[in-house]
Amino acid sequence: MTPDASAHIDIAATPQRVFDLVSDLRGLSGVAEEYAGGKWLGTSGPAVGARFRGVNKRGWRVWPTTSTVTDCSAERFAFEVKSLGMPVSRWQYDIERTADGCRVTESTWDRRPSWYKPITVLATGVKDRAVTNQANIVATLERLKRAAESA
């Protein structure tokens, strides 16, 4: 299935370094556009099946989510997101080794039921989630590049 938003960037860092950043809740909050942080639920770190409570922020709006890790390796970190118990999105970071480091592709799929979309517009302030996520991904990848290359 084609993602609703996706972009990639080349980073002069090891795939493991990038994986460590995107799979660490604090590291991810330091680079992601709307994700403001989170806490692992019943575990101390990332693994397939691990869950975390996330907090997202856009301006003065704040909304919680619960996510479940579906992929957890140096090649891919991905998670399914639920809000109020219903699936709303999938986020995925594909990390491919290159001669000078790695290429990272961030993708997202909108999983919201159509009836739920107007409610999320009120909660998040975002009318066109695909366009906003595309811009957010580009900004996130630029920050991820700076963070990974600065270490």
Side-chain angles (χ1 to χ4, degrees), residues 11 13 15-31 77 143-151:
I11 299 177
Q16 187 65 49
R17 168 75 176 134
V18 171
F19 169 80
D20 290 345
L21 282 167
V22 299
S23 65
D24 173 67
L25 300 181
R26 182 175 293 166
L28 186 57
S29 70
V31 299
F77 182 68
R143 285 192 211 96
L144 179 62
K145 178 180 177 70
R146 285 194 299 274
E149 292 179 350
S150 70

Side-chain angles (χ1 to χ4, degrees), residues 40-100:
W40 292 107
L41 302 173
T43 186
S44 60
V48 172
R51 295 173 56 238
F52 63 93
R53 167 73 62 175
V55 176
N56 301 285
K57 185 175 182 185
R58 182 173 181 79
W60 57 268
R61 292 176 167 92
V62 178
W63 64 99
T65 58
T66 302
S67 299
T68 303
V69 176
T70 60
D71 299 85
C72 190
S73 71
E75 293 82 32
R76 176 178 289 163
F77 182 68
F79 49 92
E80 298 282 341
V81 183
K82 289 185 176 183
S83 176
L84 301 176
M86 74 183 74
V88 292
S89 64
R90 173 182 173 85
W91 288 86
Q92 182 171 301
Y93 297 86
D94 290 302
I95 308 164
E96 178 185 354
R97 184 175 298 280
T98 63
D100 299 320

Side-chain angles (χ1 to χ4, degrees), residues 90-139:
R90 173 182 173 85
W91 288 86
Q92 182 171 301
Y93 297 86
D94 290 302
I95 308 164
E96 178 185 354
R97 184 175 298 280
T98 63
D100 299 320
C102 61
R103 171 169 285 182
V104 180
T105 303
E106 182 179 5
S107 305
T108 189
W109 292 260
D110 188 345
R111 302 269 169 91
R112 296 172 299 161
S114 59
W115 65 267
Y116 191 58
K117 290 180 181 182
I119 296 167
T120 63
V121 169
L122 292 173
T124 67
V126 174
K127 290 182 182 177
D128 190 331
R129 182 44 72 182
V131 168
T132 298
N133 280 347
Q134 185 65 42
N136 288 351
I137 286 172
V138 170

